[in-house]
Amino acid sequence: QVQLVESGGGLVQPGGSLRLSCAPSGFTFSNYAMSWYRQAPGKERELVAAITSAGGSTNYADSVKGRFTMSRDNAKNMVYLQMNSLKPEDTAVYYCNARWMLTGRSYWGQGTQVTVSS
């Protein structure tokens, strides 16, 4: 059974930090590129960060560059999103996504809420 379980969300003050984790299972993790998306109320889901299957390359949305860092540990089947200098506009549900570039097969997690507020 395929699962992507996100954790680490919560309430944080502006300027604070959070570390999101995603624990994939049920598929060959090392074959899949991983991404973090987010969706704020009333807005479309947007790509936040992505990392290649081997972890050699990352990409970030302009809005989070320099503040967020995505990483993966293929030995532990884990994906992370370190979020620093958080802003109220970062408030959203954050989703973990796995995509096998060869076939386009994609899996989603259930999401974790991040709220940035004083």
Side-chain angles (χ1 to χ4, degrees):
Q1 180 183 0
V2 172
Q3 282 189 305
L4 287 85
V5 180
E6 300 103 331
S7 61
L11 174 64
V12 64
Q13 292 187 342
S17 297
L18 282 175
R19 188 194 197 203
L20 304 184
S21 298
C22 174
S25 61
F27 60 96
T28 305
F29 174 63
S30 59
N31 286 347
Y32 285 69
M34 300 298 297
S35 302
W36 286 96
Y37 286 76
R38 66 186 181 188
Q39 187 166 20
K43 294 188 177 181
E44 293 186 355
R45 192 172 296 190
E46 64 173 353
L47 177 66
V48 175
I51 191 167
T52 54
S53 57
S57 179
T58 51
N59 286 299
Y60 299 93
D62 288 343
S63 59
V64 306
K65 279 181 182 176
R67 299 188 298 121
F68 290 12
T69 302
M70 184 175 184
S71 62
R72 67 189 292 164
D73 186 334
N74 283 0
K76 296 182 179 179
N77 273 32
M78 291 294 295
V79 181
Y80 305 100
L81 185 67
Q82 178 66 43
M83 306 186 296
N84 298 329
S85 302
L86 283 161
K87 305 175 182 180
E89 50 264 44
D90 295 317
T91 295
V93 178
Y94 283 72
Y95 297 90
C96 180
N97 172 265
R99 179 177 295 274
W100 190 3
M101 305 308 291
L102 189 65
T103 64
R105 183 179 298 173
S106 178
Y107 304 117
W108 290 92
Q110 82 290 348
T112 185
Q113 176 70 47
V114 171
T115 302
V116 185
S117 175
S118 55

